[in-house]
Short mmCIF file of all heavy atoms in Angstrom, two decimals:
data_model
loop_
_atom_site.label_atom_id
_atom_site.label_comp_id
_atom_site.label_asym_id
_atom_site.label_seq_id
_atom_site.Cartn_x
_atom_site.Cartn_y
_atom_site.Cartn_z
N MET A 1 0.84 -1.19 0.00
CA MET A 1 0.00 0.00 0.00
C MET A 1 0.89 1.24 0.00
O MET A 1 1.92 1.28 0.63
CB MET A 1 -0.89 0.00 1.24
CG MET A 1 -1.78 1.20 1.32
SD MET A 1 -2.89 1.03 2.72
CE MET A 1 -3.12 2.73 3.12
N ALA A 2 0.43 2.25 -0.70
CA ALA A 2 1.16 3.51 -0.75
C ALA A 2 0.40 4.59 0.01
O ALA A 2 -0.83 4.58 0.05
CB ALA A 2 1.35 3.96 -2.19
N THR A 3 1.15 5.49 0.58
CA THR A 3 0.54 6.65 1.24
C THR A 3 1.17 7.90 0.65
O THR A 3 2.39 8.01 0.56
CB THR A 3 0.80 6.62 2.76
OG1 THR A 3 0.24 5.43 3.29
CG2 THR A 3 0.17 7.84 3.44
N ILE A 4 0.33 8.82 0.23
CA ILE A 4 0.79 10.11 -0.28
C ILE A 4 0.32 11.17 0.71
O ILE A 4 -0.88 11.34 0.92
CB ILE A 4 0.25 10.40 -1.68
CG1 ILE A 4 0.71 9.31 -2.65
CG2 ILE A 4 0.70 11.78 -2.16
CD1 ILE A 4 0.10 9.40 -4.03
N THR A 5 1.28 11.85 1.29
CA THR A 5 0.97 12.88 2.27
C THR A 5 1.19 14.24 1.65
O THR A 5 2.29 14.53 1.14
CB THR A 5 1.87 12.73 3.52
OG1 THR A 5 1.72 11.41 4.04
CG2 THR A 5 1.51 13.75 4.58
N VAL A 6 0.17 15.07 1.69
CA VAL A 6 0.30 16.45 1.23
C VAL A 6 0.93 17.24 2.36
O VAL A 6 0.31 17.46 3.39
CB VAL A 6 -1.08 17.04 0.83
CG1 VAL A 6 -0.93 18.47 0.34
CG2 VAL A 6 -1.76 16.17 -0.20
N ARG A 7 2.17 17.62 2.17
CA ARG A 7 2.89 18.34 3.24
C ARG A 7 2.46 19.80 3.28
O ARG A 7 2.21 20.40 2.23
CB ARG A 7 4.41 18.25 3.01
CG ARG A 7 4.96 16.84 2.90
CD ARG A 7 5.02 16.13 4.22
NE ARG A 7 5.72 16.86 5.23
CZ ARG A 7 7.03 16.80 5.49
NH1 ARG A 7 7.80 16.03 4.77
NH2 ARG A 7 7.55 17.52 6.44
N LEU A 8 2.40 20.34 4.47
CA LEU A 8 2.01 21.73 4.63
C LEU A 8 3.01 22.62 3.89
O LEU A 8 4.21 22.61 4.21
CB LEU A 8 1.97 22.10 6.11
CG LEU A 8 1.63 23.56 6.43
CD1 LEU A 8 0.21 23.89 5.96
CD2 LEU A 8 1.76 23.81 7.93
N ASN A 9 2.54 23.35 2.89
CA ASN A 9 3.38 24.25 2.10
C ASN A 9 4.62 23.56 1.54
O ASN A 9 5.68 24.17 1.40
CB ASN A 9 3.80 25.48 2.92
CG ASN A 9 2.60 26.27 3.39
OD1 ASN A 9 1.61 26.36 2.70
ND2 ASN A 9 2.68 26.82 4.58
N GLY A 10 4.46 22.29 1.21
CA GLY A 10 5.59 21.53 0.69
C GLY A 10 5.14 20.49 -0.33
O GLY A 10 4.06 20.61 -0.91
N PRO A 11 5.96 19.48 -0.55
CA PRO A 11 5.71 18.51 -1.60
C PRO A 11 4.70 17.43 -1.21
O PRO A 11 4.17 17.44 -0.09
CB PRO A 11 7.09 17.88 -1.79
CG PRO A 11 7.68 17.92 -0.42
CD PRO A 11 7.20 19.23 0.18
N TYR A 12 4.48 16.53 -2.15
CA TYR A 12 3.72 15.31 -1.86
C TYR A 12 4.74 14.25 -1.43
O TYR A 12 5.60 13.85 -2.22
CB TYR A 12 3.00 14.80 -3.11
CG TYR A 12 2.00 15.76 -3.69
CD1 TYR A 12 2.26 16.40 -4.89
CD2 TYR A 12 0.80 16.02 -3.05
CE1 TYR A 12 1.34 17.29 -5.44
CE2 TYR A 12 -0.12 16.90 -3.59
CZ TYR A 12 0.15 17.53 -4.78
OH TYR A 12 -0.75 18.40 -5.33
N LYS A 13 4.65 13.81 -0.21
CA LYS A 13 5.55 12.76 0.28
C LYS A 13 4.92 11.42 -0.07
O LYS A 13 3.76 11.16 0.28
CB LYS A 13 5.73 12.89 1.79
CG LYS A 13 6.63 11.85 2.39
CD LYS A 13 6.70 12.04 3.89
CE LYS A 13 7.51 10.95 4.55
NZ LYS A 13 7.45 11.06 6.03
N VAL A 14 5.71 10.58 -0.76
CA VAL A 14 5.20 9.30 -1.23
C VAL A 14 5.91 8.18 -0.48
O VAL A 14 7.14 8.07 -0.54
CB VAL A 14 5.42 9.14 -2.75
CG1 VAL A 14 4.85 7.82 -3.23
CG2 VAL A 14 4.80 10.31 -3.51
N GLU A 15 5.12 7.38 0.21
CA GLU A 15 5.67 6.25 0.96
C GLU A 15 5.08 4.96 0.40
O GLU A 15 3.89 4.90 0.12
CB GLU A 15 5.31 6.37 2.45
CG GLU A 15 5.90 7.62 3.10
CD GLU A 15 5.39 7.81 4.51
OE1 GLU A 15 4.25 8.28 4.64
OE2 GLU A 15 6.12 7.46 5.45
N GLY A 16 5.92 3.98 0.26
CA GLY A 16 5.47 2.68 -0.23
C GLY A 16 6.52 2.10 -1.16
O GLY A 16 7.06 2.80 -2.00
N ASP A 17 6.79 0.84 -0.98
CA ASP A 17 7.79 0.18 -1.82
C ASP A 17 7.23 -0.23 -3.17
O ASP A 17 7.96 -0.55 -4.09
CB ASP A 17 8.35 -1.04 -1.10
CG ASP A 17 9.16 -0.67 0.11
OD1 ASP A 17 9.73 0.44 0.12
OD2 ASP A 17 9.21 -1.47 1.05
N ASP A 18 5.91 -0.22 -3.29
CA ASP A 18 5.25 -0.71 -4.50
C ASP A 18 4.81 0.44 -5.41
O ASP A 18 3.87 0.30 -6.17
CB ASP A 18 4.04 -1.56 -4.09
CG ASP A 18 3.54 -2.40 -5.23
OD1 ASP A 18 4.33 -2.66 -6.16
OD2 ASP A 18 2.36 -2.77 -5.21
N VAL A 19 5.50 1.57 -5.32
CA VAL A 19 5.11 2.75 -6.09
C VAL A 19 6.18 3.04 -7.13
O VAL A 19 7.37 2.99 -6.84
CB VAL A 19 4.97 3.99 -5.17
CG1 VAL A 19 4.61 5.23 -5.97
CG2 VAL A 19 3.93 3.71 -4.11
N LYS A 20 5.76 3.35 -8.35
CA LYS A 20 6.70 3.80 -9.36
C LYS A 20 6.17 5.09 -9.96
O LYS A 20 4.97 5.36 -9.94
CB LYS A 20 6.95 2.74 -10.42
CG LYS A 20 5.75 2.35 -11.23
CD LYS A 20 6.12 1.24 -12.21
CE LYS A 20 4.91 0.78 -13.00
NZ LYS A 20 5.25 -0.29 -13.95
N VAL A 21 7.08 5.88 -10.51
CA VAL A 21 6.73 7.14 -11.18
C VAL A 21 7.11 6.99 -12.63
O VAL A 21 8.26 6.64 -12.94
CB VAL A 21 7.46 8.34 -10.54
CG1 VAL A 21 7.08 9.64 -11.24
CG2 VAL A 21 7.15 8.42 -9.05
N VAL A 22 6.17 7.24 -13.52
CA VAL A 22 6.43 7.10 -14.95
C VAL A 22 6.10 8.40 -15.66
O VAL A 22 5.26 9.18 -15.21
CB VAL A 22 5.61 5.93 -15.56
CG1 VAL A 22 6.00 4.61 -14.95
CG2 VAL A 22 4.12 6.16 -15.42
N ASP A 23 6.76 8.63 -16.80
CA ASP A 23 6.46 9.82 -17.59
C ASP A 23 5.30 9.50 -18.53
O ASP A 23 4.72 8.41 -18.49
CB ASP A 23 7.71 10.33 -18.32
CG ASP A 23 8.18 9.41 -19.44
OD1 ASP A 23 7.45 8.47 -19.83
OD2 ASP A 23 9.31 9.61 -19.93
N TRP A 24 4.97 10.44 -19.39
CA TRP A 24 3.82 10.30 -20.28
C TRP A 24 3.97 9.18 -21.27
O TRP A 24 3.00 8.73 -21.87
CB TRP A 24 3.52 11.63 -20.98
CG TRP A 24 4.69 12.12 -21.81
CD1 TRP A 24 4.91 11.85 -23.12
CD2 TRP A 24 5.78 12.91 -21.35
NE1 TRP A 24 6.09 12.45 -23.52
CE2 TRP A 24 6.64 13.11 -22.44
CE3 TRP A 24 6.12 13.48 -20.13
CZ2 TRP A 24 7.82 13.83 -22.36
CZ3 TRP A 24 7.28 14.21 -20.05
CH2 TRP A 24 8.11 14.39 -21.15
N ASN A 25 5.19 8.69 -21.46
CA ASN A 25 5.42 7.56 -22.35
C ASN A 25 5.45 6.23 -21.61
O ASN A 25 5.66 5.19 -22.21
CB ASN A 25 6.74 7.74 -23.10
CG ASN A 25 6.67 8.86 -24.10
OD1 ASN A 25 5.71 8.96 -24.86
ND2 ASN A 25 7.68 9.71 -24.11
N GLY A 26 5.29 6.30 -20.31
CA GLY A 26 5.33 5.09 -19.50
C GLY A 26 6.73 4.73 -19.06
O GLY A 26 6.93 3.68 -18.45
N ASN A 27 7.72 5.59 -19.36
CA ASN A 27 9.09 5.32 -18.93
C ASN A 27 9.23 5.65 -17.44
O ASN A 27 8.77 6.68 -16.98
CB ASN A 27 10.08 6.17 -19.74
CG ASN A 27 10.04 5.81 -21.20
OD1 ASN A 27 10.00 4.64 -21.56
ND2 ASN A 27 10.01 6.82 -22.06
N GLU A 28 9.89 4.74 -16.76
CA GLU A 28 9.97 4.83 -15.31
C GLU A 28 11.15 5.69 -14.85
O GLU A 28 12.26 5.55 -15.36
CB GLU A 28 10.09 3.42 -14.73
CG GLU A 28 9.93 3.37 -13.23
CD GLU A 28 9.82 1.94 -12.73
OE1 GLU A 28 9.50 1.02 -13.53
OE2 GLU A 28 10.07 1.72 -11.54
N TYR A 29 10.89 6.59 -13.91
CA TYR A 29 11.96 7.36 -13.26
C TYR A 29 12.66 6.47 -12.25
O TYR A 29 12.02 5.65 -11.59
CB TYR A 29 11.39 8.57 -12.52
CG TYR A 29 10.88 9.66 -13.40
CD1 TYR A 29 9.55 9.68 -13.82
CD2 TYR A 29 11.71 10.69 -13.82
CE1 TYR A 29 9.07 10.70 -14.63
CE2 TYR A 29 11.24 11.71 -14.63
CZ TYR A 29 9.92 11.70 -15.04
OH TYR A 29 9.45 12.70 -15.84
N GLN A 30 13.97 6.64 -12.15
CA GLN A 30 14.72 5.92 -11.13
C GLN A 30 14.55 6.66 -9.80
O GLN A 30 14.71 7.87 -9.73
CB GLN A 30 16.20 5.85 -11.50
CG GLN A 30 16.46 5.07 -12.77
CD GLN A 30 15.94 3.65 -12.68
OE1 GLN A 30 16.27 2.93 -11.74
NE2 GLN A 30 15.11 3.24 -13.63
N ILE A 31 14.23 5.93 -8.79
CA ILE A 31 14.01 6.51 -7.47
C ILE A 31 15.14 6.04 -6.56
O ILE A 31 15.25 4.84 -6.27
CB ILE A 31 12.64 6.11 -6.91
CG1 ILE A 31 11.55 6.63 -7.85
CG2 ILE A 31 12.46 6.65 -5.50
CD1 ILE A 31 10.16 6.15 -7.53
N ALA A 32 15.98 7.00 -6.15
CA ALA A 32 17.19 6.66 -5.41
C ALA A 32 16.90 6.25 -3.97
O ALA A 32 17.62 5.43 -3.40
CB ALA A 32 18.16 7.83 -5.43
N LYS A 33 15.89 6.85 -3.39
CA LYS A 33 15.60 6.53 -1.99
C LYS A 33 14.11 6.64 -1.74
O LYS A 33 13.39 7.33 -2.46
CB LYS A 33 16.37 7.45 -1.05
CG LYS A 33 15.98 8.92 -1.15
CD LYS A 33 16.75 9.75 -0.16
CE LYS A 33 16.38 11.23 -0.24
NZ LYS A 33 15.03 11.55 0.13
N ARG A 34 13.68 5.96 -0.73
CA ARG A 34 12.28 6.02 -0.33
C ARG A 34 12.20 6.30 1.16
O ARG A 34 13.06 5.84 1.89
CB ARG A 34 11.59 4.69 -0.64
CG ARG A 34 11.49 4.45 -2.13
CD ARG A 34 10.92 3.08 -2.44
NE ARG A 34 11.00 2.82 -3.85
CZ ARG A 34 9.99 3.05 -4.71
NH1 ARG A 34 8.86 3.53 -4.28
NH2 ARG A 34 10.13 2.79 -5.99
N PRO A 35 11.20 7.03 1.61
CA PRO A 35 10.17 7.68 0.83
C PRO A 35 10.76 8.79 -0.03
O PRO A 35 11.90 9.21 0.17
CB PRO A 35 9.21 8.23 1.88
CG PRO A 35 10.05 8.43 3.09
CD PRO A 35 11.08 7.33 3.05
N PHE A 36 9.99 9.24 -1.00
CA PHE A 36 10.44 10.33 -1.85
C PHE A 36 9.35 11.39 -1.92
O PHE A 36 8.24 11.18 -1.42
CB PHE A 36 10.82 9.83 -3.26
CG PHE A 36 9.69 9.16 -3.99
CD1 PHE A 36 8.90 9.88 -4.88
CD2 PHE A 36 9.42 7.82 -3.83
CE1 PHE A 36 7.86 9.28 -5.58
CE2 PHE A 36 8.38 7.20 -4.51
CZ PHE A 36 7.60 7.93 -5.39
N ALA A 37 9.69 12.54 -2.50
CA ALA A 37 8.75 13.66 -2.53
C ALA A 37 8.59 14.16 -3.96
O ALA A 37 9.57 14.31 -4.69
CB ALA A 37 9.23 14.79 -1.63
N LEU A 38 7.36 14.42 -4.34
CA LEU A 38 7.04 14.99 -5.64
C LEU A 38 6.74 16.46 -5.49
O LEU A 38 6.04 16.87 -4.57
CB LEU A 38 5.83 14.27 -6.26
CG LEU A 38 6.04 12.80 -6.58
CD1 LEU A 38 4.72 12.18 -7.04
CD2 LEU A 38 7.10 12.61 -7.65
N CYS A 39 7.28 17.25 -6.42
CA CYS A 39 7.11 18.70 -6.36
C CYS A 39 5.65 19.10 -6.52
O CYS A 39 4.95 18.62 -7.40
CB CYS A 39 7.94 19.36 -7.46
SG CYS A 39 7.80 21.16 -7.50
N ARG A 40 5.23 19.99 -5.69
CA ARG A 40 3.88 20.55 -5.76
C ARG A 40 3.90 22.03 -6.08
O ARG A 40 2.91 22.61 -6.50
CB ARG A 40 3.17 20.31 -4.42
CG ARG A 40 1.72 20.75 -4.39
CD ARG A 40 0.98 20.08 -3.26
NE ARG A 40 1.47 20.44 -1.97
CZ ARG A 40 0.78 21.08 -1.05
NH1 ARG A 40 -0.45 21.44 -1.28
NH2 ARG A 40 1.31 21.35 0.12
N CYS A 41 5.06 22.67 -5.90
CA CYS A 41 5.13 24.13 -6.09
C CYS A 41 5.44 24.50 -7.54
O CYS A 41 5.21 25.63 -7.94
CB CYS A 41 6.19 24.72 -5.17
SG CYS A 41 7.89 24.41 -5.67
N GLY A 42 6.00 23.58 -8.31
CA GLY A 42 6.33 23.86 -9.70
C GLY A 42 7.70 24.46 -9.91
O GLY A 42 8.08 24.74 -11.04
N ALA A 43 8.46 24.66 -8.86
CA ALA A 43 9.75 25.35 -8.98
C ALA A 43 10.96 24.43 -8.90
O ALA A 43 12.09 24.90 -9.06
CB ALA A 43 9.86 26.42 -7.90
N SER A 44 10.77 23.17 -8.69
CA SER A 44 11.90 22.25 -8.60
C SER A 44 12.67 22.19 -9.91
O SER A 44 12.09 22.22 -10.99
CB SER A 44 11.40 20.83 -8.24
OG SER A 44 12.47 19.91 -8.30
N THR A 45 13.99 22.08 -9.82
CA THR A 45 14.80 21.89 -11.02
C THR A 45 15.00 20.40 -11.29
O THR A 45 15.71 20.02 -12.22
CB THR A 45 16.17 22.57 -10.88
OG1 THR A 45 16.84 22.04 -9.74
CG2 THR A 45 16.01 24.08 -10.74
N ASN A 46 14.39 19.58 -10.47
CA ASN A 46 14.51 18.13 -10.60
C ASN A 46 13.12 17.49 -10.71
O ASN A 46 12.87 16.45 -10.12
CB ASN A 46 15.27 17.56 -9.40
CG ASN A 46 15.63 16.12 -9.59
OD1 ASN A 46 15.88 15.66 -10.70
ND2 ASN A 46 15.65 15.36 -8.49
N LYS A 47 12.21 18.14 -11.44
CA LYS A 47 10.84 17.63 -11.56
C LYS A 47 10.85 16.24 -12.18
O LYS A 47 11.70 15.97 -13.02
CB LYS A 47 10.00 18.56 -12.43
CG LYS A 47 9.73 19.89 -11.78
CD LYS A 47 8.82 20.70 -12.68
CE LYS A 47 8.76 22.13 -12.27
NZ LYS A 47 9.88 22.91 -12.77
N PRO A 48 9.97 15.40 -11.78
CA PRO A 48 8.82 15.66 -10.93
C PRO A 48 9.13 15.60 -9.43
O PRO A 48 8.22 15.69 -8.61
CB PRO A 48 7.84 14.55 -11.33
CG PRO A 48 8.74 13.39 -11.63
CD PRO A 48 9.96 14.01 -12.29
N PHE A 49 10.40 15.47 -9.09
CA PHE A 49 10.75 15.33 -7.68
C PHE A 49 11.01 16.70 -7.04
O PHE A 49 11.43 17.64 -7.70
CB PHE A 49 11.99 14.44 -7.53
CG PHE A 49 11.77 13.08 -8.11
CD1 PHE A 49 12.28 12.74 -9.36
CD2 PHE A 49 11.03 12.13 -7.42
CE1 PHE A 49 12.05 11.50 -9.92
CE2 PHE A 49 10.80 10.87 -7.96
CZ PHE A 49 11.32 10.56 -9.21
N CYS A 50 10.78 16.76 -5.77
CA CYS A 50 11.03 17.97 -4.99
C CYS A 50 12.54 18.09 -4.73
O CYS A 50 13.19 17.10 -4.42
CB CYS A 50 10.28 17.86 -3.66
SG CYS A 50 10.70 19.12 -2.45
N ASP A 51 13.05 19.31 -4.88
CA ASP A 51 14.47 19.54 -4.56
C ASP A 51 14.63 20.55 -3.42
O ASP A 51 15.73 21.05 -3.19
CB ASP A 51 15.24 19.99 -5.80
CG ASP A 51 14.82 21.37 -6.29
OD1 ASP A 51 13.88 21.97 -5.71
OD2 ASP A 51 15.44 21.86 -7.25
N GLY A 52 13.55 20.87 -2.75
CA GLY A 52 13.61 21.79 -1.61
C GLY A 52 13.39 23.24 -1.96
O GLY A 52 13.34 24.09 -1.07
N THR A 53 13.25 23.55 -3.25
CA THR A 53 13.09 24.94 -3.67
C THR A 53 11.84 25.58 -3.08
O THR A 53 11.80 26.80 -2.87
CB THR A 53 13.05 25.04 -5.21
OG1 THR A 53 14.27 24.50 -5.72
CG2 THR A 53 12.92 26.48 -5.69
N HIS A 54 10.83 24.79 -2.76
CA HIS A 54 9.58 25.35 -2.20
C HIS A 54 9.86 26.20 -0.97
O HIS A 54 9.19 27.20 -0.73
CB HIS A 54 8.58 24.24 -1.88
CG HIS A 54 9.07 23.25 -0.88
ND1 HIS A 54 9.79 22.12 -1.22
CD2 HIS A 54 8.99 23.25 0.46
CE1 HIS A 54 10.11 21.46 -0.12
NE2 HIS A 54 9.63 22.12 0.92
N SER A 55 10.85 25.82 -0.18
CA SER A 55 11.18 26.59 1.02
C SER A 55 11.79 27.93 0.65
O SER A 55 11.49 28.96 1.26
CB SER A 55 12.17 25.82 1.90
OG SER A 55 11.58 24.66 2.39
N LYS A 56 12.63 27.94 -0.37
CA LYS A 56 13.32 29.16 -0.78
C LYS A 56 12.36 30.18 -1.38
O LYS A 56 12.57 31.39 -1.25
CB LYS A 56 14.42 28.84 -1.79
CG LYS A 56 15.52 27.96 -1.21
CD LYS A 56 16.51 27.57 -2.29
CE LYS A 56 17.46 26.51 -1.74
NZ LYS A 56 18.11 25.75 -2.80
N ILE A 57 11.31 29.70 -2.06
CA ILE A 57 10.39 30.62 -2.72
C ILE A 57 9.19 30.96 -1.85
O ILE A 57 8.32 31.73 -2.25
CB ILE A 57 9.91 30.08 -4.08
CG1 ILE A 57 9.07 28.81 -3.90
CG2 ILE A 57 11.10 29.86 -5.01
CD1 ILE A 57 8.37 28.36 -5.18
N GLY A 58 9.11 30.36 -0.68
CA GLY A 58 8.00 30.65 0.23
C GLY A 58 6.67 30.10 -0.25
O GLY A 58 5.63 30.72 -0.05
N PHE A 59 6.72 28.93 -0.88
CA PHE A 59 5.50 28.31 -1.40
C PHE A 59 4.46 28.15 -0.29
O PHE A 59 4.76 27.67 0.79
CB PHE A 59 5.82 26.94 -2.01
CG PHE A 59 4.62 26.17 -2.46
CD1 PHE A 59 3.83 26.61 -3.52
CD2 PHE A 59 4.28 24.98 -1.84
CE1 PHE A 59 2.73 25.89 -3.95
CE2 PHE A 59 3.17 24.24 -2.26
CZ PHE A 59 2.40 24.70 -3.32
N GLN A 60 3.24 28.60 -0.60
CA GLN A 60 2.14 28.43 0.35
C GLN A 60 0.96 27.82 -0.39
O GLN A 60 0.63 28.24 -1.49
CB GLN A 60 1.74 29.76 0.95
CG GLN A 60 2.82 30.34 1.84
CD GLN A 60 2.31 31.52 2.66
OE1 GLN A 60 1.45 32.26 2.21
NE2 GLN A 60 2.85 31.67 3.84
N ALA A 61 0.35 26.83 0.23
CA ALA A 61 -0.79 26.16 -0.36
C ALA A 61 -1.93 26.16 0.64
O ALA A 61 -1.71 26.11 1.84
CB ALA A 61 -0.41 24.73 -0.74
N ALA A 62 -3.13 26.23 0.13
CA ALA A 62 -4.28 26.32 1.02
C ALA A 62 -5.04 25.02 1.15
O ALA A 62 -5.83 24.86 2.07
CB ALA A 62 -5.23 27.40 0.50
N GLU A 63 -4.79 24.07 0.23
CA GLU A 63 -5.64 22.89 0.23
C GLU A 63 -5.37 21.98 1.42
O GLU A 63 -4.25 21.84 1.89
CB GLU A 63 -5.51 22.10 -1.07
CG GLU A 63 -4.17 21.49 -1.30
CD GLU A 63 -3.26 22.41 -2.09
OE1 GLU A 63 -3.38 23.64 -1.97
OE2 GLU A 63 -2.41 21.88 -2.81
N ALA A 64 -6.45 21.41 1.91
CA ALA A 64 -6.38 20.43 2.98
C ALA A 64 -7.57 19.50 2.79
O ALA A 64 -8.55 19.83 2.12
CB ALA A 64 -6.43 21.11 4.35
N ALA A 65 -7.48 18.31 3.37
CA ALA A 65 -8.57 17.35 3.25
C ALA A 65 -9.81 17.90 3.94
O ALA A 65 -9.73 18.45 5.03
CB ALA A 65 -8.16 16.02 3.86
N VAL A 66 -10.94 17.74 3.28
CA VAL A 66 -12.21 18.17 3.85
C VAL A 66 -13.07 16.92 4.05
O VAL A 66 -13.32 16.18 3.10
CB VAL A 66 -12.93 19.17 2.91
CG1 VAL A 66 -14.29 19.55 3.48
CG2 VAL A 66 -12.07 20.39 2.68
N ALA A 67 -13.48 16.70 5.28
CA ALA A 67 -14.28 15.51 5.59
C ALA A 67 -15.53 15.48 4.72
O ALA A 67 -16.23 16.49 4.58
CB ALA A 67 -14.67 15.52 7.05
N GLY A 68 -15.79 14.32 4.09
CA GLY A 68 -16.99 14.15 3.29
C GLY A 68 -16.86 14.57 1.85
O GLY A 68 -17.75 14.34 1.04
N SER A 69 -15.74 15.18 1.47
CA SER A 69 -15.58 15.60 0.08
C SER A 69 -15.06 14.46 -0.76
O SER A 69 -14.44 13.54 -0.25
CB SER A 69 -14.63 16.79 -0.01
OG SER A 69 -13.32 16.40 0.33
N GLU A 70 -15.36 14.49 -2.04
CA GLU A 70 -14.89 13.45 -2.94
C GLU A 70 -14.18 14.10 -4.11
O GLU A 70 -14.62 15.14 -4.62
CB GLU A 70 -16.06 12.62 -3.49
CG GLU A 70 -16.77 11.82 -2.42
CD GLU A 70 -17.91 11.01 -3.02
OE1 GLU A 70 -17.89 10.75 -4.24
OE2 GLU A 70 -18.80 10.65 -2.25
N ASP A 71 -13.09 13.48 -4.54
CA ASP A 71 -12.41 13.93 -5.73
C ASP A 71 -12.75 13.00 -6.89
O ASP A 71 -13.07 11.83 -6.69
CB ASP A 71 -10.89 13.92 -5.53
CG ASP A 71 -10.44 15.09 -4.67
OD1 ASP A 71 -11.10 16.14 -4.71
OD2 ASP A 71 -9.43 14.93 -3.97
N LYS A 72 -12.65 13.53 -8.08
CA LYS A 72 -12.88 12.71 -9.27
C LYS A 72 -11.61 11.96 -9.57
O LYS A 72 -10.51 12.48 -9.41
CB LYS A 72 -13.27 13.59 -10.45
CG LYS A 72 -14.54 14.35 -10.23
CD LYS A 72 -14.79 15.29 -11.40
CE LYS A 72 -16.00 16.16 -11.08
NZ LYS A 72 -16.06 17.33 -11.93
N PRO A 73 -11.71 10.73 -10.07
CA PRO A 73 -10.52 9.99 -10.45
C PRO A 73 -9.83 10.61 -11.66
O PRO A 73 -10.50 11.23 -12.51
CB PRO A 73 -11.03 8.58 -10.78
CG PRO A 73 -12.50 8.76 -11.04
CD PRO A 73 -12.94 9.97 -10.27
N ALA A 74 -8.51 10.47 -11.72
CA ALA A 74 -7.76 10.98 -12.86
C ALA A 74 -8.13 10.18 -14.10
O ALA A 74 -8.44 8.99 -14.02
CB ALA A 74 -6.27 10.89 -12.59
N THR A 75 -8.05 10.82 -15.24
CA THR A 75 -8.37 10.10 -16.48
C THR A 75 -7.12 9.90 -17.28
O THR A 75 -6.14 10.54 -17.10
CB THR A 75 -9.38 10.88 -17.32
OG1 THR A 75 -8.90 12.20 -17.55
CG2 THR A 75 -10.72 10.92 -16.61
S1 FES B 1 7.47 21.19 -3.67
FE1 FES B 1 9.56 21.11 -3.18
S2 FES B 1 10.51 22.04 -4.87
FE2 FES B 1 8.42 22.09 -5.38
#
């Protein structure tokens, strides 16, 4: 099982040994260590992974889980 944690004003932390990240062609990114973090701020120079730039730019995000809300599945 994988867990993705939306970090406060930071990246998506991805935990789980059974998770892979692929590009639009289905090519797999090499993941050097786990858990790993995916960029949410858009400023990483190592996308799709977080490189810590969110702290330098003062990234702030407002989203948080809302009880009872549902998201649509990705297509
Ligand atoms: S969330 Fe960390 S660099 Fe974008």
Side-chain angles (χ1 to χ4, degrees):
M1 180 175 150
T3 301
I4 301 173
T5 304
V6 180
R7 304 286 307 271
L8 178 64
N9 300 325
Y12 299 109
K13 180 182 175 186
V14 182
E15 298 172 282
D17 293 332
D18 196 23
V19 178
K20 62 183 178 180
V21 180
V22 297
D23 69 12
W24 59 91
N25 290 314
N27 297 317
E28 190 171 340
Y29 289 91
Q30 297 302 307
I31 299 172
K33 64 178 180 65
R34 293 175 187 265
F36 60 95
L38 296 174
C39 179
R40 184 160 64 117
C41 74
S44 173
T45 58
N46 190 32
K47 291 183 193 82
F49 301 101
C50 170
D51 67 357
T53 301
H54 61 271
S55 295
K56 297 175 189 159
I57 65 170
F59 175 66
Q60 293 191 328
E63 65 268 31
V66 177
S69 68
E70 294 181 22
D71 284 331
K72 298 175 186 162
T75 54

